[in-house]
Amino acid sequence: MKSAAAIIVLLLALIPLPWLVRSDFWLNFAVLTLYYGFLGQSWNILGGYGGQYSFGHAAFFGTGAYTSAVLQLQLGFNPWLAVGLASVAGGVVAAIVGGLSFRYGLRGSYFALITLAFAEVLRILADSLGFTGAGVGLQVPLHPAVVNFQFAGKSGFYFTMLVLTALGLAVVWYIEHSRFGARLMAVRDNEDAAQALGVNVYRVKLGAIVVSGILMALGGVFYLQYFLYIDPEIAYGPAVSIAALLAPIVGGLGTMCGPLLGAAALQLLNEVSESAIGAAPGLNLVLYGAVLVLIIAFLPEGIAGVARLRIGLPRGRAA
Amino acid sequence: MMLTLDHIAKRFGGVQAVSDVTFAVARGEIVALIGPNGAGKTTLFSLIAGFLAPDAGAIRFEDRDVTGLPPHRIAALGLVRTFQTAQPFERLTVAQNIAVGAHLHLASRGAALRRGAEIAERVGLGKWLHRPSRELTVAGRKRLELGRALATEPHLVLLDEVMAGLNPTEIDAIVPTIFAIRDSGITVLLTEHVMRAVMRLSDRVLVLNNGRLIAQGKPADVATDPAVIEAYLGRGVAPPAARELARG
């Protein structure tokens, strides 16, 4: 219960941010931090709590984004109405990917590869089908109005992301305090032992990937409304899959706040490396990569792991 | 009958791991399954608990055919195994580990954690309740295996060498725990190499050698059975040597 109170306080403290931060640059920074933290939280549910490392979360992200875009542009849906269907579509794709790979017991690198393959297949489909705009992509016309899920300033998007962040944290809080979550973590740590104690491993993993897929699709929906444009590379390319797994790995796998911490650290690193050596294009990415290697090498439990050591909390005490 | 095995067989490639094994365990018994290394004891446990499917034969648990059911279904019916090499959920605490077992019948997280604490006390892990399970000693891990299995409220537990790797003091400490399990109404089938404990604990002993059941009976009778002695010590060298000499 203490963790729930701390998170509610944190979220409440973040509400006045748009009035405190006047610069669009920093508000955009905050939006992107929450956005990458949210993608990371989606990945964290399956990877951090379930131990199933996906390399193709773009499959769910892109499905969410494309479903919303196609419903709006080809069928004239209101974007708010499209949100529900887009998240369902993400969940369905997750159920198909999970159903096939978990039914046949694919684990570890095999699971990672099969998820990557699904994302690539969807990317190629989006590249060649007419109703997805093929290689040109889809552009949502700019009509800033709350009813169109478009906001004139950054603060509207910031609040949308804050709500999504709260949703992600609520899901993870539930995982840490429920039978489903207990079983999911048991499966992560030892599948055989979990089975021996009556856990239906297949069903638990399937549940985790569907929840993860629904959240990831919501991330895709948000991306579309924020940037108003998607193409096959943006929606289904490996960049978004990697972004989703980096935040929790850097921040702390299988922890509630890890993805958010990781996203903040990565965003900061990104900005710092860009302003430090912005003159030489590409060099900032070298610095970014080097720091990333150092974090993974020296902080195997991520930033949350360091925080835990400092305040002397034993791991996994949360439940 | 609590458990019945009817002509069970299992082959791995060219190795007949288990052949034509038939036996029954009655409610409330402590039965020990013994035999030399590689006799097929753990394979038999995996077959009973559903981790392997037999090539032939049938397994009945409480008069229900469980042959070929997946492990989680068999566990839900009340038949739970432990592992020879303890398999803790390493990132979870002792209480959380045991709660996973308790969740089989308890949906509430709070209730499962309370049951976890109770059972940790019962198996002598009360002091380690909130410690990560990977910090436990071998003896502690064995007790955790036992605790998790008990938390599922089984009717029959299969204990796979719960005493392996323990020192004599630790063995003496775990024997009363196993008697207490039986006295709480749970039937016990165990494999064990520690003969001292087998003699003290079991009502009946089954002896497995090369995948076949070669003897069964009271512990004292089995210990003097010539076939059993031969399985453990090998065929005597004296008679053939004597024959050679006579022919010479």
Side-chain angles (χ1 to χ4, degrees), chain A residues 7-306:
Chain A
I7 281 163
I8 290 168
V9 168
L10 173 76
L11 289 170
L12 290 177
L14 284 173
I15 289 178
L17 196 80
W19 289 282
L20 300 173
V21 177
R22 291 307 188 137
S23 105
D24 254 12
F25 173 83
W26 284 109
L27 206 50
N28 182 50
F29 180 90
V31 172
L32 289 181
T33 298
L34 292 178
Y35 164 74
Y36 283 114
F38 180 74
L39 298 188
Q41 194 69 280
S42 151
W43 193 90
N44 190 37
I45 289 164
L46 183 65
Y49 287 93
Q52 311 303 310
Y53 292 179
S54 148
F55 214 77
H57 255 50
F60 319 138
F61 176 90
T63 300
Y66 266 112
T67 304
S68 173
V70 168
L71 287 174
Q72 288 182 57
L73 297 173
Q74 322 290 18
L75 301 169
F77 267 61
N78 176 281
W80 289 108
L81 286 176
V83 172
L85 284 169
S87 57
V88 168
V92 169
V93 170
I96 292 168
V97 173
L100 286 171
S101 37
F102 298 144
R103 172 66 74 196
Y104 295 103
L106 296 183
R107 300 189 209 177
S109 43
Y110 297 99
F111 175 70
L113 285 175
I114 205 83
T115 53
L116 177 64
F118 268 103
E120 281 297 290
V121 166
L122 289 169
R123 186 179 64 80
I124 291 162
L125 282 177
D127 223 344
S128 31
L129 294 175
F131 71 95
T132 60
V136 180
L138 291 172
Q139 184 154 17
V140 176
L142 179 71
H143 291 301
V146 174
V147 69
N148 292 333
F149 198 164
Q150 290 180 29
F151 309 100
K154 300 262 180 233
S155 55
F157 291 104
Y158 173 78
F159 290 124
T160 308
M161 255 346 290
L162 206 54
V163 169
L164 285 177
T165 302
L167 173 68
L169 286 167
V171 170
V172 171
W173 190 88
Y174 170 77
I175 284 176
E176 289 205 354
H177 296 84
S178 66
R179 167 153 83 174
F180 170 72
R183 288 176 164 171
L184 183 62
M185 289 186 267
V187 166
R188 168 192 70 195
D189 284 1
N190 196 315
E191 277 192 26
D192 282 346
Q195 276 187 61
L197 298 174
V199 175
N200 185 340
V201 170
Y202 170 72
R203 217 163 60 186
V204 167
K205 286 184 188 174
L206 194 63
I209 200 172
V210 167
V211 171
S212 181
I214 289 172
L215 292 185
M216 198 68 189
L218 288 173
V221 168
F222 177 83
Y223 182 94
L224 177 71
Q225 296 308 124
Y226 196 48
F227 295 104
L228 297 175
Y229 173 76
I230 50 164
D231 67 18
E233 190 58 37
I234 293 171
Y236 287 121
V240 70
S241 297
I242 293 169
L245 65 84
L246 272 185
I249 287 176
V250 168
L253 274 178
T255 62
M256 228 186 280
C257 293
L260 210 53
L261 287 172
L266 288 170
Q267 278 299 105
L268 213 59
L269 172 61
N270 200 20
E271 293 301 337
V272 167
S273 60
E274 211 160 299
S275 61
I277 38 177
L283 207 59
N284 60 323
L285 291 177
V286 174
L287 180 66
Y288 184 83
V291 174
L292 208 61
V293 168
L294 290 177
I295 290 176
I296 291 169
F298 293 105
L299 304 176
E301 291 185 28
I303 300 167
V306 179

Side-chain angles (χ1 to χ4, degrees), chain A residues 48 176-179 182-183 185-186 188-190 192-200 253-254 314-317 319, chain B residues 51 71-72 75 80-81 83 87-93 96 100-101 103-107 109 113 130 134 148-149 152:
Chain A
E176 289 205 354
H177 296 84
S178 66
R179 167 153 83 174
R183 288 176 164 171
M185 289 186 267
R188 168 192 70 195
D189 284 1
N190 196 315
D192 282 346
Q195 276 187 61
L197 298 174
V199 175
N200 185 340
L253 274 178
R315 299 194 69 132
R317 189 59 212 278
Chain B
F51 281 81
H72 68 268
V80 174
R81 74 172 294 187
F83 292 89
Q87 314 269 356
F89 304 124
E90 296 209 344
R91 288 181 62 181
L92 306 185
T93 64
Q96 290 170 340
V100 174
H103 270 311
L104 185 57
H105 297 295
L106 297 172
R109 186 75 183 134
L113 285 168
H130 297 300
R134 66 203 151 116
R148 283 194 316 204
T152 65

